[in-house]
Amino acid sequence: MNRRRPIIAANWKMQKTHLEAIQTVQKLSYLLDKADGEQVEIVICPPFTALRSVGTLIESDKLPYALGAQNVYPEDKGAFTGEVSPSMLAALKVTYVIVGHSERRQLFNEDDLFVNKKVRAVFAHGMTPILCVGESLEEREADGTESKVAQQVRRAMDNVTPEQAAGIVIAYEPIWAIGTGRTAEPADAGRVADVIRATLNERYRAEVSAAVRVQYGGSVKPGNIREFMAHPEIDGALVGGASLDAEDLALIVKYRP
């Protein structure tokens, strides 16, 4: 039996206006009951423009969802046009922040050093990073998956205390599987989750690495979530496209072994 509470995070990416976001969360609340929210931690990560609206809805309706942001800039304030600081997110009662998503790494050239700055900035403001790691197709075909993921984890966790590390969420999202319809085999995803935990174990106490929740992300759907969650080292999912539909997201949350 997995002792860690499962966590399902919906990453809506650059989708949904604030009104569409409200409608989706309201529909989701009709599809899920209190027991679902007790068994699985549910995180909604809308675009920046919908954070306030979704957060207000969650608070006013007492919905059992956490509010998450998709990105952050690792400075409190300054001349960084278009960026959003961790203090701004914290003021909106954001709980989780996605850090190092492959789209940020690939499209916006974010390297491991910058990802580490984000991780530390999120922790410094009392929020929890959802750290994304994963390999490209070329790295996978060259048998470089384990070394790439271990390197990303080590660099992202530089100067992170054991107390902070125990609370982090790490999402294994193979780049080749994101938005392509392709998925890693559950056994392969579980093996990478083992690598992530072993890498953490090199730096921290065993109880720290054992406490970290590891998600799988990469074309997660209602039809395959149960297979991934059956692996004892996988504690949840970072869901992209399937999370845009409230009914699909509800089915993913309602998975049962």
Side-chain angles (χ1 to χ4, degrees):
M1 180 66 69
N2 195 332
R3 295 169 297 172
R4 297 174 292 268
R5 184 186 181 197
I7 177 169
I8 302 294
N11 176 18
W12 289 348
K13 306 187 180 184
M14 199 175 72
Q15 314 270 7
K16 298 187 183 295
T17 65
H18 73 289
L19 294 175
E20 292 168 337
I22 290 172
Q23 292 169 350
T24 302
V25 174
Q26 287 176 327
K27 185 174 182 180
L28 184 67
S29 71
Y30 301 142
L31 297 168
L32 297 176
D33 55 32
K34 182 179 179 181
D36 295 315
E38 291 173 346
Q39 294 189 43
V40 178
E41 185 170 10
I42 304 162
V43 185
I44 307 297
C45 303
F48 284 138
T49 54
L51 279 173
R52 177 62 173 168
S53 298
V54 171
T56 299
L57 177 61
I58 289 172
E59 187 172 3
S60 63
D61 287 8
K62 297 181 172 56
L63 301 177
Y65 313 148
L67 183 64
Q70 299 176 19
N71 190 31
V72 68
Y73 192 78
E75 297 288 344
D76 280 350
K77 58 185 176 180
F80 306 106
T81 300
E83 296 297 329
V84 175
S85 74
S87 57
M88 293 173 181
L89 297 180
L92 290 175
K93 300 183 180 179
V94 166
T95 304
Y96 290 93
V97 183
I98 298 173
V99 174
H101 192 281
S102 62
E103 290 161 359
R104 299 297 313 177
R105 295 179 190 259
Q106 287 185 299
L107 300 178
F108 301 96
N109 301 313
E110 295 187 2
D111 60 16
D112 291 333
L113 177 61
F114 194 55
V115 170
N116 173 249
K117 290 180 179 178
K118 289 186 175 187
V119 167
R120 290 185 286 118
V122 170
F123 274 131
H125 286 81
M127 299 175 290
T128 300
I130 297 177
L131 169 66
C132 299
V133 297
E135 82 285 9
S136 67
L137 181 60
E138 292 76 18
E139 289 163 335
R140 174 181 172 82
E141 292 178 342
D143 294 324
T145 296
E146 294 187 15
S147 60
K148 176 60 176 290
V149 169
Q151 174 181 283
Q152 288 178 321
V153 171
R154 280 193 294 267
R155 291 179 175 175
M157 302 302 285
D158 279 346
N159 298 309
V160 174
T161 69
E163 293 74 21
Q164 292 171 331
I168 199 169
V169 177
I170 299 182
Y172 168 54
E173 40 146 32
I175 296 169
W176 51 269
I178 297 172
T180 65
R182 300 176 62 184
T183 60
E185 291 295 324
D188 290 338
R191 176 175 54 83
V192 177
D194 287 335
V195 170
I196 290 170
R197 217 171 293 284
T199 303
L200 292 169
N201 207 30
E202 294 172 1
R203 180 170 298 179
Y204 304 104
R205 302 184 305 274
E207 51 267 38
V208 171
S209 60
V212 172
R213 290 182 290 178
V214 179
Q215 298 175 310
Y216 173 72
S219 296
V220 176
K221 298 178 176 65
N224 62 24
I225 180 65
R226 186 176 289 106
E227 298 175 48
F228 288 104
M229 293 302 297
H231 195 286
E233 292 300 335
I234 296 178
D235 308 303
L238 179 60
V239 189
S243 72
L244 295 171
D245 182 278
E247 293 182 357
D248 281 349
L249 181 56
L251 288 172
I252 291 171
V253 170
K254 285 179 174 290
Y255 84 91
R256 293 297 179 265

